[in-house]
Amino acid sequence: MPYDAEILIVGCGNILFKDDGFGPAVIDALNELSKENPLPDNTMTLDAGTGGPHFVFSLPHESWRKMIVVDIAQFGAEPGTIRVFNVDELPKGKYENMHSWPVNQPLHDLSKVCEVMVIGCQPESVSAPDIELGLTKSVEDAIPEAIKIILKEIEV
């Protein structure tokens, strides 16, 4: 199993649709940071893109202790606002991939196996179905805050 770590940090989202690329952007920034300040050996980052629900959330590994999911979430705040959710607090209607497969249930099931937290960022613009690369400034500026939360969670 390629995801054999105690702590998984999973960035979800589609980089083709503006702010929906927040999760992958956080993973990229975290991987860049870890070149100089390595993450703990028990930690793995994963850019799950739009495949997170199917390939990660539904295939738990016995070694997992904690999963930190990073994605956009519509929760009515100012764009770029970060909020930490547990699985019971996920905004209704969010966490569906492009095929409308809701992953609230897989996340709830996964929370019985390991601790699950979601770091959600309020998007400013999701361009789907139109392709627009790059995050808005407000969402891009939220990346350091998301990384700070992650580093605190993994005790770095």
Side-chain angles (χ1 to χ4, degrees):
M1 173 64 108
Y3 310 127
D4 184 8
E6 290 182 11
I7 302 171
L8 256 75
I9 306 163
V10 182
C12 298
N14 192 330
I15 63 168
L16 299 177
F17 300 137
K18 203 85 176 143
D19 288 343
D20 195 27
F22 177 73
V26 169
I27 296 301
D28 287 347
L30 190 57
N31 287 339
E32 192 62 34
L33 178 69
S34 71
K35 288 178 182 176
E36 290 186 25
N37 301 300
L39 299 176
D41 290 339
N42 68 343
T43 304
M44 178 182 288
T45 60
L46 176 64
D47 176 353
T50 58
H54 181 70
F55 294 109
V56 179
F57 305 149
S58 61
L59 300 171
H61 191 272
E62 62 191 28
S63 65
W64 296 0
R65 265 190 326 107
K66 180 184 285 191
M67 180 176 288
I68 302 170
V69 179
V70 184
D71 200 354
I72 57 169
Q74 295 281 357
F75 54 97
E78 289 292 316
T81 302
I82 298 287
R83 180 171 167 201
V84 176
F85 297 89
N86 68 45
V87 291
D88 296 323
E89 298 176 300
L90 293 179
K92 206 168 184 98
K94 181 57 183 127
Y95 282 87
E96 292 189 0
N97 69 14
M98 62 192 306
H99 302 290
S100 297
W101 186 64
V103 299
N104 283 22
Q105 189 58 47
L107 284 177
H108 282 278
D109 292 345
L110 186 59
S111 70
K112 295 171 188 165
V113 176
C114 69
E115 180 184 349
V116 176
M117 68 178 290
V118 178
I119 299 173
C121 179
Q122 176 68 47
E124 182 175 324
S125 174
V126 177
S127 63
D130 298 324
I131 294 174
E132 277 190 61
L133 296 175
L135 303 175
T136 59
K137 181 166 177 13
S138 60
V139 170
E140 185 174 347
D141 289 348
I143 292 173
E145 183 180 351
I147 289 175
K148 182 178 175 183
I149 293 167
I150 291 166
L151 294 177
K152 183 177 178 187
E153 280 298 313
I154 63 174
E155 300 172 1
V156 172

